[in-house]
Amino acid sequence: MRNTRALAAAGAAVAVLGLAAPAATAGGDHNQPSNIVALPSVIARGGQMTVTVDGCPQGGTMTSDAFRTTHLTPVKGANETSKGTATIKQDARPGSHDITVNCSGRRLTRPAAFTVIGGVRGGLGGSSSSGATSTDIAIGGGLVAAAVAGGGLFWLRRRSERRI
């Protein structure tokens, strides 16, 4: 019988605490930034990245060493969420970068929030020369000469077979 009463008392205490916990957090300050999300998380220099911050209902600012200070604007329909778009600097160093947000005077930093990758050279497989080089011309000329010599031998051989 004692175990039943102790179990009932413990259950009642847990129920009271469970009902009181949401009320305790609901009356708190909502202007505490949390959950910084950067998309895409891997980006090249010059690319645009969207950052979303929860707990920032009036908007604010975000900054990083890879982009200029950018404004966060409240998202309509999303409760206490703000977002902003940042353009990565052309001279940003490759690697991980932090993002610091400031919402209503409260700051939050997310370390290694995104990664900048180095630039990619495009066109012709990353080649930096334009036009044919002297090596390309020598190889092409050798192939043409071999084709002419082979065609001539084939023609002479076919010609001699007709006489027999």
Side-chain angles (χ1 to χ4, degrees):
M1 197 64 144
R2 287 185 187 174
N3 288 340
T4 307
R5 287 183 186 167
L7 187 58
V14 168
V16 167
L17 287 175
L19 292 173
T25 58
D29 187 9
H30 296 288
N31 294 334
Q32 181 66 36
S34 64
N35 195 27
I36 301 171
V37 178
L39 292 174
S41 60
V42 177
I43 190 165
R45 297 177 192 141
Q48 286 192 334
M49 174 178 59
T50 302
V51 177
T52 306
V53 182
D54 292 337
C56 193
Q58 281 84 33
T61 59
M62 64 178 172
T63 187
S64 174
D65 59 345
F67 57 82
R68 295 183 184 153
T69 300
T70 306
H71 291 286
L72 294 167
T73 57
V75 177
K76 293 183 181 187
N79 208 9
E80 300 179 3
T81 300
S82 293
K83 77 174 189 175
T85 303
T87 302
I88 305 301
K89 296 178 187 174
Q90 291 292 339
D91 61 347
R93 69 168 172 75
S96 296
H97 294 271
D98 302 344
I99 295 177
T100 301
V101 297
N102 186 350
C103 296
S104 301
R106 303 216 177 175
R107 293 172 55 107
L108 177 67
T109 299
R110 178 171 177 211
F114 65 99
T115 303
V116 174
I117 56 175
V120 179
R121 295 184 71 169
L124 299 176
S127 167
S128 60
S129 65
S130 60
T133 63
S134 58
T135 306
D136 295 335
I137 293 172
I139 292 171
L143 289 172
V144 169
V148 168
L153 287 173
F154 179 75
W155 181 71
L156 286 174
R157 194 160 175 222
R158 294 285 290 170
R159 186 174 172 209
S160 64
E161 287 178 2
R162 287 187 202 159
R163 292 186 182 176
I164 297 179

